[in-house]
């Protein structure tokens, strides 16, 4: 299930260590069937996947009705400061995975985790679009080098 994008700024040795850490986190921090809604766990899991990537990556975590992880997927790859996200493709992916809920995440290669105005607008647009097919948007995380910002924690969702 874990896939580490090879555009990382980490050397190959460190990429292997991070992949192993992700597998261990998935094994010991989240028991099978356990809900994937712990903000602390989700932040750590996403940081391991997305922090210090050289390109912007937009990811979705697909959840069932009890907020258990069905699958995670990198939906869009961007440049050093931008990713083009297409709501139509997000809806198609959510339906393909039969998701009842979704968590979005993307990194900021600059290391600065503060969401932009465009990030907030996109999240609102995705939330509104997904609600048309009865898919809840639980959160959107922005991953910096050392900080993670949660839209839900800020009351934006």
């Amino acid at each position: 299930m874990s896939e580490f994008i090879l555009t990382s700024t980490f050397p190959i040795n460190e990429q292997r260590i991070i992949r192993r850490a992700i597998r261990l986190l998935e094994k010991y921090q989240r028991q099978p069937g356990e809900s994937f809604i712990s903000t602390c766990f989700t932040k750590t899991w996403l940081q391991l996947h997305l922090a210090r990537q050289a390109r912007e990556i937009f990811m979705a975590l697909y959840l069932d009705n009890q907020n258990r992880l069905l699958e995670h997927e990198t939906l869009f790859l961007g440049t050093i400061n931008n990713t083009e996200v297409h709501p139509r493709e997000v809806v198609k992916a959510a339906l393909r995975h039969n998701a009842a809920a979704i968590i979005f995440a993307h990194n900021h290669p600059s290391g600065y985790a503060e969401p932009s105005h465009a990030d907030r607008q996109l999240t609102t647009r995705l939330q509104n679009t997904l609600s048309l097919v009865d898919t809840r948007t639980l959160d959107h995380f922005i991953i910096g080098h050392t900080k993670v910002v949660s839209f839900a924690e800020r009351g934006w969702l």
Side-chain angles (χ1 to χ4, degrees):
M1 180 182 279
S2 297
E3 179 181 319
F4 191 72
I5 306 300
L6 296 178
T7 62
S8 175
T9 57
F10 292 115
I12 297 296
N13 271 4
E14 290 180 16
Q15 288 182 30
R16 276 189 233 128
I17 292 167
I18 290 170
R19 277 191 219 109
R20 184 156 186 234
I22 290 169
R23 284 192 302 273
L24 287 171
L25 254 176
E26 289 174 345
K27 181 177 179 180
Y28 294 108
Q29 293 294 321
R30 190 178 62 82
Q31 299 302 316
E34 186 177 327
S35 293
F36 201 87
I37 56 173
S38 162
T39 303
C40 183
F41 169 75
T42 305
K43 283 180 176 181
T44 302
W45 190 89
L46 289 168
Q47 269 187 304
L48 286 169
H49 278 278
L50 297 175
R52 298 204 181 266
Q53 294 292 326
R55 296 169 51 186
E56 199 164 295
I57 298 165
F58 189 89
M59 177 184 277
L61 287 74
Y62 305 102
L63 308 170
D64 68 11
N65 250 345
Q66 284 75 44
N67 297 327
R68 295 177 298 216
L69 183 66
L70 297 168
E71 188 63 66
H72 69 85
E73 176 177 40
T74 296
L75 290 174
F76 305 100
L77 292 174
T79 62
I80 60 169
N81 63 357
N82 186 29
T83 300
E84 192 170 332
V85 176
H86 303 278
R88 173 187 170 89
E89 297 303 316
V90 173
V91 169
K92 284 171 45 178
L95 292 173
R96 183 176 63 247
H97 292 291
N98 200 30
I102 194 164
I103 295 172
F104 296 113
H106 76 275
N107 64 313
H108 283 173
S110 68
Y112 184 65
E114 199 57 38
S116 67
H117 181 66
D119 291 335
R120 290 187 68 182
Q121 285 183 317
L122 172 65
T123 304
T124 299
R125 187 169 175 211
L126 290 172
Q127 183 178 27
N128 292 339
T129 303
L130 286 164
S131 71
L132 296 172
V133 293
D134 296 323
T135 303
R136 295 172 286 122
T137 303
L138 299 182
D139 210 336
H140 185 166
F141 291 94
I142 309 292
I143 314 301
H145 289 173
T146 59
K147 185 178 177 188
V148 178
V149 174
S150 161
F151 282 43
E153 285 182 342
R154 292 207 173 165
W156 296 342
L157 286 176

